[in-house]
Amino acid sequence: MTSSPAGRDMPPAESDAGLLAPGWTGSPAAAATGDDACLRALLDAEAALTRAQATLGLAPAEAATAVTEAARSGAFDVRSLAERARGGGNPVIPLVADLTAAVGAAYGPYVHRGATSQDILDTATMLVAARTLDLLLADLGGTESALAALAGEHRDTAMPGRTLTQHAVPTTFGLKAAGWRSLVLDARDRVAVVRTSLPAQLGGAAGTLAAFTVFAPVTGDGAPGTPVDTSALVSAYARELGLREPELPWHTLRTPIADLAGALAVTAGALGKIAVDVLTLARTEIAEVAEGSGGGSSAMPHKANPVRSTLIAAAARRAPQLAATLYGAMAAEDERPAGAWHAEWEPLRDLLRLVGGAARDAAELTRGLRVDADAMRRHLDLTHGLIVSERLAAELAPVLGRARAKELLTRTAARVHTEGRPLADLLAEEPDLKDLDLADLTDPARYTGSAGDLTDRALERR
């Protein structure tokens, strides 16, 4: 027990509880990237290596069974492994010692045989990433479906288009939701490509596979001294794990990590765009949308804060810096690096957690999003028709000439601001415009351009 400043006993801190990380705490990605999940991936990598060697007759089948059973037993202390990792700079070294002891003297020598720590940790990282990306893709699919429904329902729901924070011209909420969905699909496609390309890692001490070439067959299928087919071994290893077979050992060729970082950062940005739009539109004075179940305040009982959007936006702001660290680690010296590889572990796990949590929150946000079409309509009228000045400039030019139309609209816009009268009423005072249907020309809902067609086109994408 530890002691608090006030002298009260405090329980030991729980690993991976996520006390200050509500964005990912309790998400599927949190479970897939926790210490226990990382340990499971390390053990899976070790067991698969022995099984792959047994497949090629380089280890007894009994060794493969023994290592696999020991790896599944769960009798490994994560905290002890973490503390002992300081000695060699990574957790694989103490894990190999514990797994070897668990397997026993007869088959212990077949644990980790020929591999280096980076082979196992890189492979485990790919397993954790694969398992997390599967969950992430499921949540992106839920978000995409919810956005498709919103876009279809609100295909023709007119609302103010805002540029540089100000009303610009009308748009539709359907087009906005279709745009959000397009970003989600962009992210999904990138994540899906990366998911299928995650490679196993096997290279030995310096990426030459040298240790594996001197293994003697343990069956009568090959004579002692027969060269080992290392390509077949790498292929068998990747197959055991469900990962892609690498073209080369990639100890210092970190494209897989960089590609993963890029896909995750794009996903965070795509979801962040949705979040910041919702945060703007959910402001009290706008209130065009609202989260289905807002969060409370510790001080103000009346509040229903847009918590899902807030947490997604927070993830979007952190993700680029985490990805930048992973990109920076690509400059990895020699055949195995000191520091560059080690710098990847925490930011990559943070990135997987953050984006996985954001995807969980985005699925909840979009599924429960409430749209107030009446508020959108009211806001279209805030500028008394000036929101369609672009349309009027085009419509009046053939009647008045371009220069005069511009001068009239500029002068009339000033009167709208000072007198607070509708633009249509002021323009009706102009004798040359008496034959025009000014009510129609100044109706914002009738100036949404091709928003409906664009929405339909966007929804065709699968």
Side-chain angles (χ1 to χ4, degrees):
M1 304 285 282
T2 59
S3 179
S4 71
R8 280 179 272 195
D9 288 333
M10 300 280 289
E14 180 185 348
S15 175
D16 283 334
L19 181 64
L20 300 181
W24 57 256
T25 300
S27 69
T33 57
D35 283 351
D36 289 340
C38 291
L39 174 58
R40 166 53 43 213
L42 290 166
L43 290 166
D44 288 345
E46 290 286 5
L49 179 60
T50 308
R51 291 198 303 273
Q53 293 179 23
T55 298
L56 300 180
L58 303 175
E62 295 81 1
T65 300
V67 174
T68 298
E69 289 179 352
R72 289 175 179 163
S73 71
F76 299 89
D77 187 333
V78 173
R79 186 177 295 277
S80 172
L81 290 169
E83 291 170 351
R84 286 184 287 149
R86 287 198 75 239
N90 74 73
V92 177
I93 296 171
L95 178 62
V96 168
D98 290 358
L99 180 58
T100 300
V103 171
Y107 299 114
Y110 292 98
V111 172
H112 196 72
R113 194 169 66 137
T116 191
S117 296
Q118 191 171 353
D119 289 333
I120 300 303
L121 190 46
D122 277 349
T123 297
T125 297
M126 294 295 99
L127 286 174
V128 169
R131 293 162 183 173
T132 307
L133 293 187
D134 287 342
L135 300 169
L136 173 62
L137 286 166
D139 279 333
L140 291 178
T143 301
E144 176 273 318
S145 295
L147 291 174
L150 284 170
E153 180 182 354
H154 294 282
R155 177 188 186 274
D156 300 311
T157 299
M159 66 178 295
R162 296 171 171 95
T163 65
L164 301 181
T165 76
Q166 306 297 299
H167 284 201
V169 296
T171 184
T172 66
F173 186 74
L175 183 57
K176 182 178 283 288
W180 293 344
R181 177 178 178 267
S182 179
L183 284 175
V184 171
L185 292 178
D186 288 345
R188 178 205 64 185
D189 291 349
R190 285 160 173 77
V191 170
V193 168
V194 169
R195 170 63 183 88
T196 60
S197 66
L198 296 173
Q201 174 75 283
L202 194 61
T208 64
L209 295 162
F212 299 105
T213 65
V214 296
F215 288 171
V218 296
T219 69
D221 296 338
T226 301
V228 172
D229 185 348
T230 55
S231 177
L233 176 60
V234 173
S235 179
Y237 184 49
R239 210 164 38 246
E240 287 285 341
L241 295 159
L243 296 173
R244 183 178 62 81
E245 179 183 350
E247 294 180 3
L248 292 171
W250 46 280
H251 293 146
T252 53
L253 310 174
R254 307 306 283 176
T255 304
I257 299 294
D259 284 346
L260 180 56
L264 290 169
V266 166
T267 302
L271 300 179
K273 162 60 176 169
I274 301 171
V276 297
D277 276 354
V278 171
L279 289 171
T280 297
L281 299 178
R283 289 176 180 271
T284 304
E285 58 271 27
I286 299 177
E288 293 177 357
V289 303
E291 291 194 2
S293 56
S297 165
S298 63
M300 294 165 285
H302 68 281
K303 294 193 73 180
N305 295 321
V307 175
R308 301 280 77 75
S309 300
T310 297
L311 296 177
I312 297 168
R317 284 165 170 78
R318 286 191 61 200
Q321 287 71 40
L322 293 168
T325 298
L326 298 171
Y327 285 131
M330 289 187 73
E333 72 279 5
D334 301 325
E335 279 60 58
R336 290 187 50 225
W341 171 53
H342 305 73
E344 295 173 349
W345 309 340
E346 291 173 276
L348 180 54
R349 179 159 78 164
D350 284 348
L351 193 53
L352 285 165
R353 285 174 164 175
L354 273 177
V355 180
R360 180 266 312 263
D361 285 337
E364 293 179 5
L365 167 66
T366 54
R367 190 166 56 242
L369 192 67
R370 300 198 303 266
V371 180
D372 190 336
D374 292 335
M376 293 175 178
R377 176 65 228 198
R378 288 194 303 272
H379 295 155
L380 285 169
D381 296 328
L382 283 176
T383 56
H384 304 294
L386 291 178
I387 197 168
V388 295
S389 61
E390 178 188 68
R391 178 187 189 184
L392 288 167
E395 295 281 356
L396 298 186
V399 178
L400 304 177
R402 178 185 250 177
R404 187 180 167 203
K406 181 179 179 181
E407 184 276 329
L408 173 62
L409 286 171
T410 302
R411 173 165 43 85
T412 308
R415 290 182 63 193
V416 168
H417 287 301
T418 58
E419 300 175 24
R421 295 173 59 193
L423 179 60
D425 290 354
L426 294 175
L427 291 177
E429 297 173 358
E430 296 292 325
D432 291 338
L433 304 182
K434 64 180 186 321
D435 293 331
L436 296 180
D437 185 349
L438 293 172
D440 179 82
L441 289 176
T442 56
D443 182 358
R446 295 179 178 274
Y447 189 58
T448 57
S450 298
D453 292 339
L454 290 169
T455 301
D456 294 341
R457 185 189 310 168
L459 291 177
E460 292 175 2
R461 180 179 173 188
R462 295 292 180 261

